[in-house]
Each structure stands twice: as structure tokens, then as C-alpha cells.
Amino acid sequence: MTPLDPLLFGEIDPPQRLLMGPGPVNAHPRVLRAMSADLLGQFDPEMTGYMNQVMALYRPIFGTQNPWTMLIDGTARAGIEAALVSLVAPGDTVLVINFGRFGLLLGEILTRIGAVIETVDAPWGEIVPMEAIAAAIERTGPKIVACVHGDTSTTMAQPLDGLGDLCRAAGALCYVDATATIGGMAIAADRWGVDVVTGGLQKCLGGPSGSAPITISDRAADHIFARRHTEAGIRSADSIDGAGPRIASNYFDLAMIMDYWSDKRLNHHTEATSMLYAARECARVMLGEGLEARYARHAAAGRAMSAGLRAMGLTLFGDDAHRMTNVTGVFIPQGVDNDRVRAAMRDHFEIEIGTAFGPLQGRIWRIGAMGYNAMKHKVLLTLAALEACLLREGFLLPAGAAVPAALEAWG
Amino acid sequence: MTPLDPLLFGEIDPPQRLLMGPGPVNAHPRVLRAMSADLLGQFDPEMTGYMNQVMALYRPIFGTQNPWTMLIDGTARAGIEAALVSLVAPGDTVLVINFGRFGLLLGEILTRIGAVIETVDAPWGEIVPMEAIAAAIERTGPKIVACVHGDTSTTMAQPLDGLGDLCRAAGALCYVDATATIGGMAIAADRWGVDVVTGGLQKCLGGPSGSAPITISDRAADHIFARRHTEAGIRSADSIDGAGPRIASNYFDLAMIMDYWSDKRLNHHTEATSMLYAARECARVMLGEGLEARYARHAAAGRAMSAGLRAMGLTLFGDDAHRMTNVTGVFIPQGVDNDRVRAAMRDHFEIEIGTAFGPLQGRIWRIGAMGYNAMKHKVLLTLAALEACLLREGFLLPAGAAVPAALEAWG
């Protein structure tokens, strides 16, 4: 221990920072408190009871009746990889609907799985029209279609109504990454007709990163169970293996994870208990508020943020008709120093706003209002602080206009 | 929301259960409290400061000077898979030192990676002698040697002194899964000369499952960086890719995870902030206690548990010379109902003890004393409760003998 500071860096004591970027955001205090509950054994009836409650709580949040609705132990990206590695076998053709960085991520993960990747693309700031998707499905004959719902890199939300019908007609399964929208914009897995949807806690659900809710249609579950290979250490006489190709990951093998969450309770990983408590409380907070009220609150926050930014004379990025409600892209004005403004926001106001990736890096900020932060006062405080920081930069703007515009847009 | 109970299953309120199985165990209250701290943005200087502290705190715990010492976001099994998928390319020969269920798990994960798997085996309840390992390395010429340190399925701890020398002489890299020993038995990555070691929080570190500490030698880091393929969404002019085969997983790509934990701070997953707070506090509690004091406490708990069980007339499972200090296997006596005793322990005493896997299922119990539960009073209470439950089963034992024997063995 000698080389370490004897104070061992002190108690955990993060600054109270308002996180108005594209996520992670501040967690709801009830979620933080839920994580301080004591642990349980993984096959304790109280624990499996909580697991079953989580399954019930996430069905309305995903807009589904799917029995297979549960958690993957890892960040939102773990949920994406679990879905793709369990659905897709090497050599399968996958059509990626690509309109931003997280569409690229789907392709990246699929490359490693050994899929044959086809894409149908939109420029950053737009979405892919359903007719283009239909044509691409016809052209490529995919086994799987993969899509991001809301891509925070571009702040665009892809319309998904009708996608399931196109996939079913073509005999394809459909995966949707709803990390950035779940809890803030309506997820309608059953109405969309999509097979697997994954999310994360750290954006509109108002929890910490580290648990990925997932829902799986019966059709997809059959497909996945056909690839089941029970591991040697827990194999028994009644283990049933499928004839399909073995899933390339053990940790992300949804067949084994479903066996763990089912009444079989076959040992796999040790469920991340505190994160399960967090996921459960995120869902309770959300359903207690009511789905429609919650989506309306996010929509109001998005409208107010957009109106306030425009009242400051700033220009929003991307297609107005397909904007995510919970994160807004705004061009950094000419002559304004990106890093200096974000530093001033943080140092003077303890507010974080987001930078951008790839072609948008240094060109836009991404300002979020998600989950516990999709609140009127937090939107107004962010606008007021940004106005002050831009004025200090010498940017000419109609001082005092942003807050009233936002208030009016909130409605 | 209509189909759900309007009370949404109520507040989180788990029973206060003493977890004396092979893990997970009860978390230290300081760890639970640390998780209720508010969140930070992932590139916030306060957050990256905490990440750097975690790197420093886990070096002494792993017994290493390795700069690359950090966390994988997922359960202990995520750490294992991240290590193996990043070290091993398809077609590589891997020698697994196999003496229990978690040796089988290494083989299971490696099968999915496409490795050529060789094993050197011991019967459950024994360890693999170093001479047998040396012979197996000579026979198989592995690129990687993989081993579990303490396998809770058999309660055996594999001696590892000298393993690194054998591996280096053969030009092999060496991986060790220390999930069940880290925090309770000395990990000596540098003295052993092994390259990658992973752990989990939910056993002797006294935290919740969901974060996997890892350490990586410079030699292994070079090997891994030779397989680096920066993902498209964050690729820039100064991205450096390696010539080696692409790592089969994105989530578990240690090259990208190291780029995230390094000063480069390249975006990958969103760090599971609350779990990082938990991992940080686990380490602070441990280093505050002192490594030697902590290992001695676990050794005393193991001695006391063993002595108490023997004083009850029970027979321990496995080789006395290589017993893990933090979990003890004991044969279920003839005529005693396994399930009924465990149910009585839970229902009357709120104490959980562990059942077993595979060939030991129904034959032994596994009784742990790990982390915050490796305490004298918890060992004594467990022994007293077990004695009462066995007496109710009609098992003839010298009543009152276990506790004094345990007290004497504690020392």
C-alpha cells in the first residue's frame, strides 16, 4: 500500500453537475437510493421475484407483450452486441439502416460477427425514408434488418411504423437499438412489428449506465433457441441443444441468458443485483409518471430547448420533422470557441453540454434534456447559462430572448 | 399501464439475508452508499480522475505494476470473455488448466472464439501439479495458457508460483481468472509472471456483481494492440490499426477499452459510473484494511469454518492442502435432505449457504465467508444455525461443539 496515498483519494464526492448532454444524464434520486439496498443470492426466491417484476415492468416500456423481456448485464452497447451476436450467424446478410454514428456501430459489431453487411443510408441529419428501406430489403434479401431508433450523433429519430411488415414479408428478423429513446420517446415493439429491441438506463430512463433492457419476440426467441448450446459445466440429461450454429459469445448468448431468466434458472452470469435494482426503480418511476405524460414532458423539453436556441439566433442542425425530442443539435456559431464555451458552462454553471462525433465534431453542440433532466427549470437554466457564455465570447445575440421563448414553447 | 399492479410491486425492500454461499455475498455498506453518489459525464475531468484513481487502487490488489489495470463493464464472466477474446485469435492453441466448473467455462468460451483447446486436468477436489502443467505446455505448445485461480465449484485454489516462467520459456501468454479469490487470497500477478488477470466485485471484494477488474501486462497489451481496429464512427487521421486479426467482439475489445481508459479517452461504451464508484470503494475499503490483514482475516474465517464443520462430525470435500480460504465444501451427510436444510437455514435464520454443480450437485454444500462476511460472528452464527438445522433433521452430532472449535481455530 505504500505507493498509494494513505487517504486513498478520499470519499466519493462528485460535483453536483447538471448533465445536459446526449447522455449519460443525472439519475433520478429514487434510482440512486434503490441501489443502496442490500444484495441477495442469485437464486433466492426474493431475487428471482425481483427479476420477474423487472420483466413485467419493461413490457409496457417497450410497448410489447413479449414474455422475453429482461436485462443484459452491461452498458447499452452490451445489449446491442447480445442481440446481434445471438441473431446473426457468420455469413448471414444483414441490412443496416444507417443514418449516423450508431448505425456505423451496428455495422462495426456485425463485421466482427462475420455478417455480410448491406446498408441503406441517409446523410447525417436526415432519416431513411421507408420506401428506400423497402427497396433495400428487396435488393439485398437480408436475414436480419438492423436499425437505430434515435441516433444521438445526429439527433434524428427514424420512423419505424411499417418496418416490421416489410421485414416479415421478406422473411427477415428485425433489430432496433432504442438506447437513446427508451423512456423518452414511445417504443412500440409490437406495433412496429420488430423482433428485438434493446435500450440502456443512462439516458431517458434516468438511471446509471450498466444495464441494458431487452425485449425479444417469440419468433426471434425460436431463432435463438435453435442456436442453444448449454455449457459443459451445467449440462444435464435434459439439456436441449439446437441444430443451428453456435452463438459466438458465451456472455452474450441470449439462449443461455433466457434460460437464466426463465423458470429453469440455469446458472449463467451472476446477475448484477444493484443494477437490477436500478433498472427496476427506473421502470417504477416511469410507469408511476405514466407513459404518455412522460413522452409529453420530453416533447415539451425538446420544443422549449429548440425555441430557446433559435431565439438566441442559433441555427439547429438536422431535419426538423424527425428531431429526437430529448436531444437537440445546434451549430456552433462562427467565431465562437467550442471548447471555451463548454468549459465556461462547466466551470461557471456546473452544466455539461455535449460535443459531437465524426463529420460534426467542432460543428455542433448536442444539448440533451433526458429523463430526470427533461424538466422545465433545467432547460431554462441551461439556456440562460449558454446565453451568458455566448455573450462573454462576444457573440451578438438578442439578450433575454431565449428564456421567454422556451417558456412559451413549453406550453 | 393498466395490466400492471398500480403499486408497481412496491419499494425495493429485500430481506436482510446473510449470504454465506460461494458468492455473491453481502456488500460492504460503504460500497452500497458509494453507489448513491450522483453521476458524471463520461469525459468530465472529475470522472476521468476517478477512472485514474481506480487504476491506481487496483494495482496493489492485483499485485502488479501494470499500467493497464482497469474495469470491464459487466459481471466477472464479462472480464473473462474480454480477456480471452482479446488474447486469442481463431485457430490459436490454448492450454486450459482445468480442475472444476470454471475451468470448463474457460474451455466453453474458447470454443466459441474458435481456439484449439488442449487441457491438463485434475479430478474435482484436487489441483494440477506444476510438473503436469510444464509437461502439458511442452506437449501442446500453446500460444496462451488459461487458468482459474480459485474454482468455487470445487473450493480448490491452484498454486500459480512459477507458472509465468513456464509460459515465458514457451513463448506463451498466460491468463488467470481470479474472480473468486481477488480480495480474499493474495493475487500476485507480477510475481506469478502472468499476463492478464480478471476478477469480480461480488465475492471477496464485498461489492455487487457487475464490474470486472482486470490487469494486463505490457507484453499482453502489445499483443492486443496489434489487433486494434478503431471503429468507423470515431476513426480519425491519427487512428493506428494493428496488423493482427480483428478481435471478434466490439464490446470486449480490450484495445478499444484501453484507448478509452488511456489519455486518448476514445469513446467506446459509456462507463457504468455507479459500478465504477462501487469498484473504487471496494478497493478503498480493502487497502484501508491492509492487504495482509485482509488475507489473514479470510484465512481465519476459513480455518474457523472448517474446524466448526469438522467438530460437528461432518467431512470436508477436497484436498486440505489447497483449500480456498473463503469457501469450504462439506459433504451433505447421509439421510439429510439437502433442500430442506438449505430452506430451514434461509427461512428460520435468513442465512444462505450454497449448493453445488455437476458431479457434486446434491453431494456437497459450499459455505463461504467472503469479504464483508469473512467475520468471526458471521462464521459462528452460520455454524450454530447449521447445527440446529441438522439436529432438526435427526442427524446425530455432538451438540455445542462447533462454535468453540471455530473460536479456537480463529485464533
Side-chain angles (χ1 to χ4, degrees):
Chain A
M1 215 173 68
T2 349
L4 277 183
D5 186 315
L7 294 173
L8 298 171
F9 304 121
E11 299 285 314
I12 188 85
D13 188 18
Q16 192 179 11
R17 202 149 275 165
L18 180 60
L19 305 180
M20 301 297 280
V25 299
N26 303 85
H28 196 293
R30 276 176 52 189
V31 175
L32 296 176
R33 286 200 301 271
M35 279 190 291
S36 65
D38 202 1
L39 304 182
L40 287 168
Q42 58 179 328
F43 299 110
D44 191 312
E46 302 283 342
M47 177 66 185
T48 54
Y50 282 143
M51 292 171 77
N52 289 341
Q53 291 173 7
V54 164
M55 297 178 91
L57 288 163
Y58 275 89
R59 287 187 194 109
I61 291 173
F62 277 116
T64 189
Q65 304 288 332
N66 290 336
W68 296 113
T69 301
M70 55 205 189
L71 305 175
I72 304 298
D73 282 8
T75 73
R77 184 178 285 235
I80 300 171
E81 188 157 321
L84 293 178
V85 77
S86 298
L87 288 173
V88 177
D92 283 353
T93 296
V94 182
L95 176 66
V96 175
I97 301 168
N98 174 31
F99 58 100
R101 186 227 159 158
F102 292 97
L104 292 175
L105 176 62
L106 299 182
E108 150 81 18
I109 294 170
L110 287 162
T111 300
R112 294 176 188 237
I113 294 169
V116 176
I117 300 162
E118 301 280 354
T119 66
V120 52
D121 308 274
W124 285 34
E126 301 177 20
I127 55 90
V128 184
M130 202 51 74
E131 310 79 63
I133 296 172
I137 289 175
E138 188 153 354
R139 172 172 59 82
T140 61
K143 286 182 96 161
I144 314 279
V145 175
C147 186
V148 175
H149 183 211
D151 196 317
T152 52
S153 71
T154 70
T155 73
M156 292 295 108
Q158 173 70 39
L160 294 171
D161 267 316
L163 179 60
D165 285 344
L166 292 176
C167 290
R168 270 162 215 242
L173 291 167
C174 187
Y175 164 71
V176 173
D177 167 15
T179 302
T181 51
I182 190 169
M185 295 181 73
I187 308 296
D190 288 358
R191 197 188 73 223
W192 295 339
V194 301
D195 294 290
V196 179
V197 186
T198 65
L201 303 190
Q202 79 276 15
K203 298 187 191 269
C204 301
L205 282 169
S209 172
S211 179
I214 186 171
T215 190
I216 302 165
S217 72
D218 287 340
R219 198 164 72 124
D222 288 346
H223 178 81
I224 292 162
F225 279 134
R227 300 181 67 188
R228 171 159 59 196
H229 289 75
T230 309
E231 63 181 71
I234 57 165
R235 183 175 287 283
S236 67
D238 54 354
S239 296
I240 302 167
D241 281 354
R246 190 185 285 264
I247 293 168
S249 167
N250 173 290
Y251 190 73
F252 290 135
D253 183 328
L254 286 179
M256 293 206 291
I257 295 169
M258 289 189 281
D259 282 345
Y260 179 56
W261 281 76
S262 78
D263 291 342
K264 290 185 179 183
R265 300 289 172 204
L266 284 190
N267 183 259
H268 182 247
H269 62 286
T270 298
E271 183 61 15
T273 317
S274 304
M275 288 306 307
L276 180 131
Y277 293 168
R280 180 179 179 277
E281 195 66 10
C282 286
R284 291 179 72 243
V285 169
M286 175 161 175
L287 297 177
E289 178 177 4
L291 298 179
E292 293 314 317
R294 191 174 179 100
Y295 300 142
R297 176 163 65 80
H298 280 83
R303 279 196 315 272
M305 190 71 83
S306 293
L309 293 168
R310 282 179 163 140
M312 260 186 255
L314 300 178
T315 305
L316 300 195
F317 171 78
D319 176 1
D320 240 5
H322 298 105
R323 208 172 282 297
M324 293 168 67
T325 57
N326 46 54
V327 58
T328 305
V330 59
F331 283 102
I332 302 167
Q334 288 284 343
V336 164
D337 187 295
N338 169 20
D339 291 336
R340 204 159 53 208
V341 169
R342 285 189 303 117
M345 287 289 282
R346 189 183 64 223
D347 295 344
H348 299 316
F349 295 96
E350 297 287 343
I351 297 175
E352 178 183 279
I353 62 172
T355 176
F357 293 118
L360 296 175
Q361 197 171 14
R363 292 184 57 217
I364 70 167
W365 290 310
R366 296 177 300 150
I367 308 184
M370 297 179 169
Y372 192 58
N373 289 354
M375 294 212 201
K376 188 161 63 181
H377 71 286
K378 297 183 182 181
V379 171
L380 298 181
L381 289 167
T382 302
L383 289 166
L386 183 62
E387 178 180 306
C389 293
L390 288 173
L391 284 170
R392 278 169 64 94
E393 278 284 300
F395 178 67
L396 287 176
L397 57 78
V403 165
L407 263 174
E408 189 179 322
W410 186 284
Chain B
M1 216 172 67
T2 350
L4 277 182
D5 186 314
L7 295 173
L8 297 171
F9 304 120
E11 298 286 312
I12 189 87
D13 189 17
Q16 192 179 11
R17 203 149 274 166
L18 180 59
L19 305 179
M20 301 297 279
V25 299
N26 302 85
H28 196 294
R30 275 175 54 188
V31 175
L32 296 176
R33 287 200 300 271
M35 278 190 291
S36 64
D38 203 1
L39 303 182
L40 288 167
Q42 59 179 328
F43 299 110
D44 191 312
E46 302 283 342
M47 177 67 186
T48 54
Y50 284 143
M51 291 172 77
N52 290 342
Q53 291 174 7
V54 164
M55 297 177 90
L57 288 164
Y58 275 89
R59 287 188 193 107
I61 291 173
F62 277 115
T64 189
Q65 305 287 332
N66 290 337
W68 296 115
T69 302
M70 55 205 189
L71 304 176
I72 304 298
D73 282 7
T75 72
R77 184 178 286 236
I80 300 171
E81 187 156 323
L84 293 178
V85 79
S86 297
L87 288 173
V88 178
D92 283 354
T93 296
V94 182
L95 175 67
V96 176
I97 300 168
N98 174 33
F99 57 100
R101 186 226 159 157
F102 292 98
L104 293 175
L105 177 62
L106 299 182
E108 151 81 19
I109 294 169
L110 288 162
T111 300
R112 296 176 187 237
I113 294 169
V116 176
I117 300 162
E118 301 279 354
T119 66
V120 52
D121 307 276
W124 285 33
E126 301 176 19
I127 55 89
V128 184
M130 201 52 74
E131 310 80 62
I133 297 173
I137 290 175
E138 188 153 351
R139 171 172 60 82
T140 61
K143 287 182 94 160
I144 315 281
V145 175
C147 186
V148 176
H149 183 211
D151 195 317
T152 53
S153 71
T154 70
T155 73
M156 292 296 106
Q158 173 69 39
L160 294 171
D161 266 317
L163 179 61
D165 285 345
L166 292 177
C167 291
R168 269 161 216 243
L173 291 166
C174 187
Y175 164 70
V176 173
D177 167 16
T179 301
T181 49
I182 189 169
M185 295 181 73
I187 309 296
D190 289 358
R191 196 187 74 224
W192 295 338
V194 301
D195 295 291
V196 179
V197 185
T198 65
L201 303 189
Q202 79 276 14
K203 298 185 191 270
C204 301
L205 282 169
S209 171
S211 179
I214 187 171
T215 190
I216 302 164
S217 72
D218 287 342
R219 197 165 71 124
D222 288 346
H223 178 81
I224 293 163
F225 280 134
R227 300 181 66 187
R228 173 159 58 196
H229 289 77
T230 309
E231 62 181 72
I234 57 166
R235 183 174 288 282
S236 67
D238 53 355
S239 297
I240 303 168
D241 281 353
R246 188 186 286 264
I247 292 169
S249 168
N250 173 291
Y251 190 73
F252 291 135
D253 184 327
L254 287 179
M256 293 206 292
I257 296 170
M258 289 190 282
D259 282 345
Y260 179 56
W261 282 76
S262 78
D263 291 342
K264 290 185 176 181
R265 300 286 173 205
L266 284 190
N267 182 260
H268 182 248
H269 61 286
T270 298
E271 183 61 15
T273 316
S274 304
M275 288 306 308
L276 180 131
Y277 293 169
R280 179 179 180 278
E281 195 66 11
C282 286
R284 292 179 72 243
V285 169
M286 175 161 175
L287 297 177
E289 178 177 5
L291 297 179
E292 294 314 316
R294 190 175 180 99
Y295 300 142
R297 175 164 65 80
H298 280 82
R303 276 197 316 272
M305 190 70 84
S306 294
L309 293 169
R310 283 181 162 139
M312 259 186 258
L314 300 177
T315 305
L316 300 196
F317 171 78
D319 176 1
D320 239 6
H322 298 105
R323 209 171 281 296
M324 293 168 67
T325 58
N326 47 55
V327 59
T328 305
V330 59
F331 283 101
I332 302 166
Q334 288 285 341
V336 164
D337 188 294
N338 168 19
D339 291 337
R340 205 161 49 208
V341 169
R342 286 190 301 116
M345 288 289 284
R346 188 183 67 224
D347 295 343
H348 299 315
F349 294 97
E350 297 287 343
I351 297 176
E352 178 182 279
I353 61 172
T355 177
F357 293 118
L360 296 175
Q361 196 171 14
R363 292 184 57 216
I364 70 167
W365 289 311
R366 296 178 300 150
I367 308 184
M370 297 180 169
Y372 192 59
N373 289 355
M375 294 213 199
K376 188 161 63 180
H377 70 287
K378 296 182 182 181
V379 171
L380 298 181
L381 290 168
T382 301
L383 289 167
L386 183 62
E387 178 179 306
C389 293
L390 288 174
L391 284 172
R392 278 171 63 95
E393 278 283 301
F395 178 66
L396 287 177
L397 58 76
V403 164
L407 265 173
E408 189 179 322
W410 186 284

